[in-house]
């Protein structure tokens, strides 16, 4: 985070890539996100490297601290 984690007005520097858990249409898809350039849209890819299509409507992105444990309850 530019400005520091939790700081008022901090901005996430969303370039690079990593693990992504995409919750869409009642499913969870584990894949990767890739965003090498802020001027282009990020890519969400499944384990077969196919694009993950999002369900139309609002999209939420959660960026927890890397020390925060994340789990999924069916």
């Amino acid at each position: 985070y530019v400005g520091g984690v939790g700081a008022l007005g901090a901005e996430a520097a969303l370039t690079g890539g990593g693990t992504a858990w995409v919750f869409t249409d009642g499913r969870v898809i584990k894949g990767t996100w890739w965003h090498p350039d802020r001027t282009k849209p990020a890519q969400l890819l499944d384990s077969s490297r196919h694009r993950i299509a999002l369900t139309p409507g609002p999209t939420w992105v959660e960026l927890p601290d890397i020390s925060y444990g994340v789990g999924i309850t069916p």
Side-chain angles (χ1 to χ4, degrees), residues 21-59:
W21 291 3
V22 179
F23 298 82
T24 188
D25 197 26
R27 302 175 295 137
V28 61
I29 303 166
K30 188 170 181 184
T32 57
W33 65 274
W34 178 242
H35 195 223
D37 183 342
R38 290 181 65 171
T39 64
K40 298 177 182 159
Q43 297 178 42
L44 297 170
L45 304 172
D46 66 17
S47 60
S48 297
R49 309 288 296 161
H50 295 110
R51 187 178 73 82
I52 299 171
L54 300 177
T55 304
T59 298

Side-chain angles (χ1 to χ4, degrees), residues 4 11 13-16 21 29-30 33 41 44 53-54 56-58 66-68 71-74:
E11 183 178 324
L14 296 176
T15 55
W21 291 3
I29 303 166
K30 188 170 181 184
W33 65 274
L44 297 170
L54 300 177
I66 60 172
S67 66
Y68 183 78
I72 300 172
T73 304

